[in-house]
């Protein structure tokens, strides 16, 4: 039960950090978005170290956010 509770709280924390990341991207504040990405990575790393999320979950979510940040900050020109 304790580990399940920790995972639930951890997932909620990641969701909040991801939402703040998204809001910063919407404002085109790439520096703030980068800070929230770092916050997200730190929280995800903590969950991974506690073995509450798998390495696949950790890597997949982190890479997806980083790709969104990179594409927003450096859009491809036509």
């Amino acid at each position: 039960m304790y580990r399940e509770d920790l995972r639930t709280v951890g997932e909620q924390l990641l969701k909040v950090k991801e939402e703040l990341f998204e809001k910063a991207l919407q404002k085109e504040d790439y520096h703030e978005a980068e800070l929230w990405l770092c916050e997200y990575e730190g929280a995800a790393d903590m969950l991974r170290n506690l073995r509450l999320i798998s390495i696949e979950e950790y890597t997949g979510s982190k890479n997806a956010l980083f790709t969104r940040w990179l594409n927003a900050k450096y859009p491809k020109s036509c």
Side-chain angles (χ1 to χ4, degrees):
M1 176 85 162
Y2 177 71
R3 290 187 65 75
E4 292 172 11
D5 292 341
L6 277 177
R7 182 179 169 106
T8 299
V9 169
E11 288 174 343
Q12 291 171 348
L13 178 64
L14 291 178
K15 185 176 179 178
V16 167
K17 291 180 183 294
E18 184 174 354
E19 289 171 1
L20 292 168
F21 168 81
E22 291 293 340
K23 286 180 183 180
L25 280 185
Q26 289 172 0
K27 294 187 303 187
E28 297 183 358
D29 186 341
Y30 304 117
H31 178 71
E32 181 181 341
E34 185 177 6
L35 293 175
W36 285 116
L37 177 59
C38 291
E39 286 285 327
Y40 182 93
E41 289 176 338
D45 194 40
M46 178 187 65
L47 293 174
R48 186 185 56 80
N49 287 338
L50 293 171
R51 295 191 171 118
L52 297 173
I53 60 173
S54 69
I55 189 69
E56 291 83 12
E57 289 174 290
Y58 168 74
T59 304
S61 62
K62 184 179 78 162
N63 288 347
L65 289 181
F66 178 73
T67 300
R68 289 201 317 254
W69 173 79
L70 196 60
N71 288 336
K73 186 170 182 177
Y74 304 105
K76 296 177 184 176
S77 59
C78 296

